[in-house]
Amino acid sequence: MAVVVRAGAAPLWWLGAAAAGIGVVPEGVTGRRIGVLAGAALFLIGAAVVALVRRGRYTALARGAARAGKYDVLQDRAVTVRAWRRGHRWWLLLGWAVALGSAFAVPAAGGMLLAGLGAGLRLKAAWIGRLERAGETLLWVRVDWLDRRGGSPAGKAVKGLRGTGVAAGDAAPGGARRRTAALV
């Protein structure tokens, strides 16, 4: 589950940082100083909202997680990330274009908001990772319960989560890539 949440964090962060960096160049209607201050506020608000929204649903799903069965279809981390990014590429591009275009009114604010949304997703994935470590189980969403774009890990179609041991799969708690010890 944390892999699906975390899949959007990096693209949103980097596209937001690029849009904010480019968006500082035009003077804008409000001026750079006000644009950057407004962007900082939007960054914090966006990160907080994304990190805190639907926590109750995630907690309820985590409490009711069943042991993954033999016939549950669970996806590899890389496949999940790739599916999410392919399914959302046009939304990411549109968000980046809007953030860049808004720089002519309020410099850097749109890009900083986009980066804040990515930071919020990263914080939410870290929170899910703490839930997984506390329960000593990795939480998985069945692939057939995700929406057609590979997202919505706590949507209406998700009836429950599946759990495996923390050593299962290629994802660490929180959705990060599992680090393997180098063979010497």
Side-chain angles (χ1 to χ4, degrees):
M1 175 169 71
V3 173
V4 179
V5 171
R6 191 177 168 138
L12 283 171
W13 171 263
W14 287 111
L15 289 173
I22 296 168
V24 152
V25 174
E27 186 69 33
V29 175
T30 62
R32 284 188 192 102
R33 182 170 182 240
I34 292 174
V36 171
L37 289 174
L42 287 173
F43 178 90
L44 293 174
I45 291 168
V49 167
V50 169
L52 297 175
V53 74
R54 300 192 78 173
R55 277 197 177 198
R57 172 85 169 136
Y58 283 99
T59 304
L61 286 171
R63 266 190 309 231
R67 188 82 175 147
K70 184 176 183 179
Y71 297 105
D72 284 333
V73 179
L74 305 174
Q75 244 173 197
D76 209 30
R77 180 189 182 280
V79 174
T80 303
V81 170
R82 188 172 45 246
W84 190 96
R85 290 181 181 168
R86 279 186 185 160
H88 292 85
R89 66 179 169 246
W90 295 112
W91 287 109
L92 290 169
L93 184 61
L94 179 66
W96 185 74
V98 168
L100 200 57
S102 72
F104 292 103
V106 186
M112 292 176 83
L113 173 63
L114 204 60
L117 298 177
L121 285 175
R122 180 68 189 254
L123 290 171
K124 183 179 279 191
W127 175 75
I128 293 169
R130 286 192 296 276
L131 279 177
E132 290 175 332
R133 281 187 204 92
E136 295 181 7
T137 182
L138 287 180
L139 300 172
W140 300 79
V141 177
R142 285 182 33 182
V143 177
D144 54 338
W145 287 350
L146 292 174
D147 66 5
R148 61 183 173 83
R149 292 187 321 263
S152 192
K156 290 180 183 178
V158 178
K159 296 164 187 65
L161 297 177
R162 300 298 187 247
T164 61
V166 291
D170 63 341
R177 190 177 304 129
R178 182 174 303 284
R179 296 181 185 176
T180 57
L183 298 175
V184 180

